[in-house]
Amino acid sequence: VFFLSGRRRGMPKVCEEGSGGGLLLPIFGDAEQRWPPALRGILYGLGLAWCFMGVAIIADVFMGGIERITSKKVRNFNKETKRYSTTPVWNATVANLTLMALGSSAPEILLSIIELLQNKFFSGELGPSCIVGSAAFNLLVISGVCIAAIPTGQIRRIKEIRVYMVTAFFSVFAYIWLLIILLGSSKNAVTPWEGVVTFLFFPLNVLLAYLADVGVCAPKIEKVKDKPIMLTPNMTPEEILQLDNNVRQQYGAHLTAEQVSSIVRAERGMPQTRA
C-alpha cells in the first residue's frame, strides 16, 4: 500500500462534464455540469458560506470543550507546609500541542483523509494543498500579525524560550522531511514506513517540548520557574496569575486580592500598582 501524489494527465477537471465530480458535487451528476456557470457559482457560493457557518459553530463548541478540559485543576496537600495548593491537571505546553492543535487542524486533516479514501489512496489536489497551506499560513502570516500588533514603544518576550526553540525546529523540519520523502527516498510517493516515521515525529515533538517546559534539559540555575517573579508594569496576565498562585501557596489559598497585593508590596518593596 502506498500513496501517490498528483492528478493523471488528460483527465477532465472536476467542474467539467465527464469528470465524475468531486467528493460531494455535482449532486445531479453530468446534468448539473451543464448548468450555466454563473448559476452554479452562486449556488456553490451559498453552500460554501453555509458550510463555513457550520464549521465555525462546531469549532467553537469543540474549542470550548477543550478549554474546559485543560482548565481542570486539583487541590494537593503539601505535608511540608501543611497547606493546600491548586495545580492544573494538564500541562499547558502539552495541551497546546495536542488538544488545541487537533481542534484547529481537524477540518483539513479530515478533508485530506476523506479525499484520500475517495481516490483509493491517490492524493488529490485539495488535501495536501490545504494542509501545507494552512501550516504555512500559521507559520508566516499569524506570526507576522502577532508581531505587527505590538504597540509602538512596547516589547514582548518569549517566556518559554526552550519550548519555542523545540516547536520552531519541528515546524521547519516538517517541510524538510516532506521534501526528503517525496523527492528523495520515494519519488512522488509515501511508503508505509515513511508514514509511520512521520507520525512518530509528533509524539517526539510533544515529549521534547514537555521536557523543555519542565526544565529537564536546563541547568538548575537557569530554570525560569525557580526565579522569583518581580512586580513590574509590563507583567503579562500569566505572570500576574503565577505570582498570585505563589503567594497563595506560601500564605494560604484563603487570601483576598487585597491581601495578596499587600504581601507582594511588602516582600518586594514595590509601590502599589494596578496589578
Side-chain angles (χ1 to χ4, degrees), residues 15-18 26 28-37 40:
C15 58
E16 296 177 349
E17 188 174 355
F28 302 104
D30 288 341
E32 183 176 330
Q33 301 280 33
R34 292 189 288 268
W35 292 0
R40 293 169 60 192

Side-chain angles (χ1 to χ4, degrees), residues 107-244:
E108 54 261 34
I109 293 175
L110 294 177
L111 178 63
S112 180
I113 293 176
I114 293 174
E115 185 181 45
L116 195 65
L117 297 177
Q118 181 79 10
N119 294 338
K120 298 180 180 180
F121 286 92
F122 283 84
S123 67
E125 297 180 348
L126 185 59
S129 301
C130 182
I131 292 180
V132 175
S134 174
F137 185 87
N138 294 336
L139 181 63
L140 302 175
V141 178
I142 293 182
S143 298
V145 170
C146 292
I147 296 173
I150 299 176
T152 305
Q154 297 186 14
I155 60 175
R156 297 292 186 273
R157 292 183 175 88
I158 299 175
K159 185 177 180 181
E160 300 292 346
I161 187 65
R162 293 181 181 85
V163 177
Y164 171 78
M165 293 173 62
V166 172
T167 54
F169 167 78
F170 276 93
S171 297
V172 178
F173 175 74
Y175 293 97
I176 299 176
W177 175 250
L178 190 63
L179 292 175
I180 293 175
I181 62 178
L182 292 180
L183 300 180
S185 60
S186 55
K187 187 73 172 180
N188 294 331
V190 180
T191 59
W193 75 266
E194 291 173 341
V196 172
V197 173
T198 303
F199 180 81
L200 292 178
F201 281 138
F202 175 70
L204 178 62
N205 179 22
V206 176
L207 176 62
L208 294 179
Y210 172 75
L211 295 178
D213 181 55
V214 298
V216 172
C217 302
K220 294 183 179 180
I221 58 174
E222 295 183 1
K223 287 185 179 180
V224 177
K225 294 183 179 180
D226 294 339
K227 295 181 179 180
I229 300 178
M230 302 303 297
L231 191 63
T232 61
N234 295 326
M235 290 181 65
T236 64
E238 291 78 10
E239 292 174 336
I240 295 176
L241 179 60
Q242 184 176 348
L243 179 60
D244 182 85

